[in-house]
Amino acid sequence: MGDAGGRAPLEQAMRRAVELARRGPAWTRNPQVGCVLIAPDGSVLAEGWHRGAGTAHAEVDALSKLPQGAARGATAVVTLEPCNHTGLTGPCSEALIAAGIARVVFAVPDPTPDADGGAQRLAEAGIEVVEDVLRDEVEAAILPWLTAAREGRPYVIAKWASSLDGRIAATDGSSRWITGPAARADVHRRRADSGAILVGTGTVLADDPALTARSEDGELLPHQPLAVVVGSRPLPDDAAVRRHPGGFRSFELADLRAVLDSLWDEGVRTVFVEGGPTLETALLREGLVDEVLVYLAPVLLGGTRLAIADLGIPDIAHARRLDLVSADRLGEDVRIIARPRRAPKED
């Protein structure tokens, strides 16, 4: 599988394809995918992206913007390997073959068993296939979906807001507001990009949260995640979460993996966990957290109301080491994103 024509133009087109991919919804069972069609002279013929389940995939979306035959001899630059199966839509590999595409460039192989094989099908049809162009960058852009597809469960983000000394509430239990408006607005944007928002019954009983995704002026954002509550204690009939516009689920199960499996079956690919510490700790202990998202406020509270409880770590040698992804200032607060350190892959 070749690399004719140099990498630089392909990388430029791939970065544009990533920009296009981000226009699609981040919360569905389908990945965000972008596509750029390039003429033999290097000019851009058309662009496309996937808008969600049941809509045209990125490749077909781009092809649909051209007259019949106009894509013959062109290069398709796609963030994800073109699919090779029929679901709600037909296989993109066959659409590219039928359009007369001469070369297909993609970044990341499709990890789903029923959709992979597109590269092989294209090569069998005589189309030049170039793989792994900006693979690391594209993997970072669609990491939640890729991780979910590879693990067979939703990508789990454990979020909390705390003081510098790790407290999520004052001694009397009050916690509104530890962080400022910029941090809270960021949380709501991330809620809107998630398939579900998960809390324990203790959080609902203590705070009666709405768990909605809202704009800075309080209006509901266009997408609302499914609201999910886990725990054995009964919830009040008038709990705000029962009226959640994105839907409501409750689980009494102690098996958190089973909860995630159930959400996976419903099409949820990203779960945003907002507490409380009992639930966050349980997920961390069971190795079910893929990303830790912490908002640190420059305040000190003292006391015992810690963000995370006992993780069963006997000594510093067994500490859970995380890889720091980013640390950014939001107003007076700091947002930290870290991910569990994975064991290096064996050769």
Side-chain angles (χ1 to χ4, degrees):
M1 297 183 182
D3 186 18
R7 302 283 285 197
L10 300 184
E11 291 179 357
Q12 182 180 0
M14 186 64 74
R15 289 193 173 97
R16 174 58 179 165
V18 172
E19 293 176 1
L20 295 166
R22 288 185 172 132
R23 296 183 183 181
W27 57 85
T28 71
R29 69 176 71 218
N30 297 88
Q32 294 173 297
V33 182
C35 175
V36 177
L37 299 180
I38 303 173
D41 65 3
S43 61
V44 174
L45 290 170
E47 300 177 336
W49 66 93
H50 185 47
R51 292 165 173 80
T55 66
H57 288 192
E59 302 93 319
V60 175
D61 181 48
L63 290 169
S64 71
K65 298 170 183 176
L66 296 175
Q68 187 172 2
R72 189 163 300 280
T75 294
V77 178
V78 195
T79 52
L80 188 68
E81 176 186 7
C83 68
N84 193 46
H85 82 298
T86 300
L88 295 177
T89 60
C92 294
S93 56
E94 298 299 335
L96 293 167
I97 293 168
I101 292 292
R103 179 173 60 166
V104 172
V105 178
F106 68 89
V108 182
D110 195 318
T112 53
D114 60 345
D116 66 354
Q120 180 178 344
R121 175 70 186 100
L122 292 166
E124 290 171 350
I127 294 175
E128 180 187 359
V129 178
V130 182
E131 303 181 21
D132 296 335
V133 173
L134 295 184
R135 178 166 177 168
D136 289 347
E137 290 186 28
V138 176
E139 286 216 0
I142 58 172
L143 182 63
W145 182 87
L146 280 175
T147 303
R150 291 164 178 166
E151 297 290 333
R153 63 158 175 79
Y155 184 86
V156 176
I157 301 169
K159 168 264 173 183
W160 62 83
S162 73
S163 61
L164 286 181
D165 53 347
R167 270 63 182 180
I168 59 172
T171 301
D172 66 354
S174 59
S175 61
R176 297 184 181 181
W177 296 100
I178 290 178
T179 55
R184 297 198 298 272
D186 190 69
V187 170
H188 282 279
R189 286 191 293 271
R190 291 172 185 272
R191 284 182 180 182
D193 279 341
S194 301
I197 181 169
L198 181 65
V199 298
T201 52
T203 295
V204 176
L205 293 173
D207 299 331
D208 192 28
L211 300 183
T212 51
R214 303 182 298 278
S215 65
E216 294 185 47
D217 60 6
E219 296 294 320
L220 291 177
L221 295 175
H223 174 255
Q224 294 294 318
L226 176 70
V228 182
V229 180
V230 177
S232 58
R233 286 182 285 178
L235 302 179
D237 291 339
D238 62 348
V241 71
R242 293 186 181 276
R243 303 185 297 276
H244 196 281
F248 167 67
R249 300 284 185 280
S250 63
F251 295 90
E252 295 183 6
L253 298 174
D255 185 344
L256 291 173
R257 177 61 199 241
V259 172
L260 294 177
D261 287 344
S262 180
L263 295 175
W264 170 273
D265 291 340
E266 291 194 43
V268 173
R269 296 297 180 263
T270 305
V271 171
F272 196 71
V273 187
E274 290 209 53
T278 301
L279 177 60
E280 306 262 19
T281 302
L283 287 163
L284 285 164
R285 284 183 68 114
E286 294 184 29
L288 294 174
V289 172
D290 302 294
E291 183 175 302
V292 173
L293 172 64
V294 180
Y295 297 87
L296 283 178
V299 297
L300 299 173
L301 291 175
T304 59
R305 294 180 179 270
L306 292 169
I308 298 297
D310 183 13
L311 288 174
I313 296 170
D315 52 53
I316 195 66
H318 292 86
R320 300 280 186 95
R321 300 292 177 181
L322 308 179
D323 289 324
L324 182 65
V325 176
S326 63
D328 301 291
R329 184 165 177 170
L330 299 177
E332 293 298 311
D333 307 312
V334 176
R335 179 188 64 205
I336 295 175
I337 299 175
R339 298 189 182 113
R341 186 166 296 173
R342 306 296 185 187
K345 295 180 180 179
E346 296 182 3
D347 294 334

